[in-house]
Amino acid sequence: MNFNWCHGPSCHTNETQSRVRGSGDNKVLRTIKIKIDTEYLRESVFSHFCNQRCLMDFISLHKDRIVALAPRREALETPIKVQKEKYESYRYRWNGNENTREPYMATRTTIKSVDNT
Ligand SMILES: [Zn+2]
C-alpha cells in the first residue's frame, strides 16, 4: 500500500499515543505515516499532511518558496454588477412601554456575476 510521511516540520514532536514507536527505553515519537488508500485522499492535500496544524506549519515555514511557484504581482479582478433594491422591512422601537414593530424601506445590495465569456 502507498503511503506518505506527514510533511509537517514538527509532526514528530507532537505528543500523541499514535506517534509512539519503539520498545523499552528506546521509545520515540515518529512522524505520522499517511496511508493513501482512497482516490479522495490521493487527490487531497491531506495525502501529505496528517492534520491542519502540520499543513499550516509547513506553509508557514516554506511560504516564500511556495508563493514563488506562482507569484501574484498584480491584483486579479472579477467583473460584477452591484444591484441595489429597496424592500419593505420592519424594525422594533421602544416607546417607553413596549416594543412596537414599524415598517421602513430598507436597501438590499446584491453582487451579481457577469457573463464575461
Ligand atoms: Zn503531521
Side-chain angles (χ1 to χ4, degrees), residues 9-62:
S10 58
C11 188
H12 64 290
T13 63
N14 204 349
E15 295 176 3
T16 66
Q17 291 295 331
S18 62
R19 289 176 172 82
V20 176
R21 293 293 183 275
S23 59
D25 290 336
N26 295 310
K27 290 199 192 306
V28 295
L29 291 169
R30 183 180 291 168
T31 299
I32 292 280
K33 186 186 215 174
I34 303 164
K35 293 185 179 75
I36 313 299
D37 51 4
T38 63
E39 189 63 29
Y40 174 78
L41 199 53
R42 217 182 329 277
E43 300 292 318
S44 167
V45 70
F46 291 105
S47 60
H48 288 87
F49 301 95
C50 73
N51 60 31
Q52 293 267 356
R53 178 187 154 180
C54 283
L55 172 59
M56 293 311 293
D57 286 351
F58 182 91
I59 291 172
S60 297
L61 185 64
H62 299 296

Side-chain angles (χ1 to χ4, degrees), residues 4-5 43 46 56 82 84 92 94 101 103 106 110:
N4 290 326
W5 295 109
E43 300 292 318
F46 291 105
M56 293 311 293
V82 176
K84 283 183 186 287
Y92 290 86
W94 182 250
R101 187 172 125 127
T110 312

Side-chain angles (χ1 to χ4, degrees), residues 43-105:
E43 300 292 318
S44 167
V45 70
F46 291 105
S47 60
H48 288 87
F49 301 95
C50 73
N51 60 31
Q52 293 267 356
R53 178 187 154 180
C54 283
L55 172 59
M56 293 311 293
D57 286 351
F58 182 91
I59 291 172
S60 297
L61 185 64
H62 299 296
K63 65 180 177 354
D64 295 339
R65 284 190 284 165
I66 292 169
V67 296
L69 293 171
R72 166 100 56 245
R73 297 194 174 88
E74 292 171 20
L76 303 181
E77 295 180 346
T78 303
I80 57 163
K81 291 271 184 277
V82 176
Q83 190 175 71
K84 283 183 186 287
E85 52 186 332
K86 300 271 188 195
Y87 68 101
E88 190 172 74
S89 185
Y90 295 91
R91 60 184 155 216
Y92 290 86
R93 179 163 292 178
W94 182 250
N95 67 7
N97 191 34
E98 60 177 358
N99 277 315
T100 58
R101 187 172 125 127
E102 58 186 39
Y104 77 105
M105 291 308 287

